């Protein structure tokens, strides 16, 4: 008798080459679409393998770790060697397809498909924003021309204010985001979405500065 089992994937990707993480119609190159195609190819199944993501990322946004889950009906017992083989085959497929996406780990989450939801089971998330501060006496194009290819795709740029970057004010502004925040005005349909889903707790919002780079961690 087939039994439904749920697996958890840990993903890392360079968002520059994706039109966001969530599936879009017509089928665009997204993280969800790519990993779903990889699973269907490796598992050699005719039916779709629905994939859920814990966090949404916009086009161009990178992920050190994002979590996905999928379920399969299986007759065989799930062994460590089976999971290891699936892990290796997925990355081999992604590598051969020249995808800037890797599966860093796979785990059997539960033999009860209803026991785990990678989106609703999330307890916290961490976002890091990197902003390159271009000195006021240096032109933007001149600055970009001196950046290496890796750094250019991993950072946003802004000109340094005339009176310099006020780090203390940035830190004070960051504190405003900490605590319970109501995102009712950012909601999408349906309008009767329960109020508790419109509130989020920002445990910490901090700003740090290194030479030429400003970091904001939420």
């Amino acid at each position: 008798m087939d039994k439904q089992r749920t697996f958890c994937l840990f993903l890392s990707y360079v968002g520059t080459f994706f039109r966001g993480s969530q599936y879009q119609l017509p089928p665009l190159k997204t993280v969800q679409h790519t990993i779903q195609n990889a699973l269907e190819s490796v598992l050699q199944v005719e039916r779709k393998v629905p994939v859920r993501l814990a966090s949404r990322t916009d086009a161009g946004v990178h992920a050190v770790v994002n979590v996905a889950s999928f379920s399969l009906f299986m007759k065989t017992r799930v062994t460590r060697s089976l999971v290891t083989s699936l892990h290796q085959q997925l990355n081999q497929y992604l590598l051969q397809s020249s995808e800037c996406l890797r599966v860093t780990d796979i785990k059997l989450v539960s033999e009860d498909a209803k026991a785990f939801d990678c989106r609703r089971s999330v307890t916290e998330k961490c976002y890091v924003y990197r902003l390159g501060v271009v000195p006021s006496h240096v032109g933007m194009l001149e600055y970009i021309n001196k950046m290496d290819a890796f750094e250019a795709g991993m950072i946003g740029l802004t000109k340094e204010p005339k009176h310099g970057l006020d780090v203390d004010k940035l830190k004070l502004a960051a504190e405003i985001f900490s605590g319970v925040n109501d995102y009712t005005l950012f909601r999408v349909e349906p309008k009767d979405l329960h109020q508790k889903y419109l509130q989020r707790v920002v445990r910490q919002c901090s700003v740090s500065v290194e030479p030429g780079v400003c970091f904001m961690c939420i």
Side-chain angles (χ1 to χ4, degrees):
M1 179 179 178
D2 289 358
K3 192 170 184 178
Q4 190 172 8
R5 295 178 170 85
T6 301
F7 295 83
C8 182
L9 301 176
F10 293 84
L11 309 176
S12 178
Y13 52 85
V14 178
T16 308
F17 305 98
F18 295 98
R19 298 289 295 275
S21 61
Q22 296 296 114
Y23 189 89
Q24 298 184 47
L25 289 176
L28 299 175
K29 187 173 182 178
T30 65
V31 174
Q32 188 176 24
H33 184 251
T34 300
I35 199 65
Q36 186 169 301
N37 284 348
L39 281 167
E40 291 167 3
S41 177
V42 169
L43 296 170
Q44 297 183 342
V45 292
E46 295 182 358
R47 54 192 299 182
K48 295 289 185 181
V49 180
V51 173
R52 291 175 64 83
L53 292 173
S55 295
R56 295 185 177 187
T57 53
D58 293 332
V61 176
H62 317 301
V64 176
V65 180
N66 199 349
V67 179
S69 64
F70 68 96
S71 297
L72 293 175
F73 284 96
M74 304 177 66
K75 292 181 180 180
T76 58
R77 188 170 64 90
V78 179
T79 62
R80 181 176 296 181
S81 61
L82 186 149
V83 174
T84 300
S85 176
L86 177 59
H87 188 183
Q88 293 174 344
Q89 290 182 67
L90 281 173
N91 277 333
Q92 184 177 9
Y93 173 91
L94 293 168
L95 184 62
Q96 292 175 344
S97 303
S98 299
E99 299 291 357
C100 290
L101 185 157
R102 293 294 179 271
V103 178
T104 58
D105 199 5
I106 299 181
K107 295 185 182 298
L108 173 64
V109 181
S110 173
E111 295 193 356
D112 179 3
K114 296 181 180 180
F116 178 78
D117 183 310
C118 75
R119 185 169 68 86
R120 297 189 183 279
S121 297
V122 172
T123 56
E124 65 179 36
K125 303 176 184 180
C126 178
Y127 297 90
V128 178
Y129 299 87
R130 301 177 71 240
L131 187 63
V133 182
V134 181
S136 57
H137 64 278
V138 178
M140 185 69 78
L141 186 58
E142 179 186 352
Y143 189 88
I144 293 173
N145 286 338
K146 292 181 179 180
M147 296 177 70
D148 61 58
F150 298 100
E151 184 71 7
M154 300 288 180
I155 194 169
L157 295 176
T158 186
K159 288 288 290 186
E160 181 183 28
K162 290 183 179 179
H163 301 292
L165 193 65
D166 194 326
V167 179
D168 291 333
K169 284 187 177 180
L170 284 174
K171 291 181 177 180
L172 285 173
E175 292 177 4
I176 297 174
F177 294 95
S178 298
V180 179
N181 293 273
D182 189 333
Y183 293 96
T184 302
L185 296 178
F186 296 90
R187 69 183 176 183
V188 294
E189 299 295 341
K191 291 184 178 181
D192 60 350
L193 191 65
H194 199 283
Q195 187 69 21
K196 72 176 183 179
Y197 295 121
L198 302 175
Q199 293 185 344
R200 291 290 184 270
V201 178
V202 177
R203 302 185 189 280
Q204 183 182 22
C205 183
S206 61
V207 171
S208 60
V209 177
E210 293 181 3
V213 182
C214 179
F215 295 88
M216 183 175 182
C217 299
I218 300 178

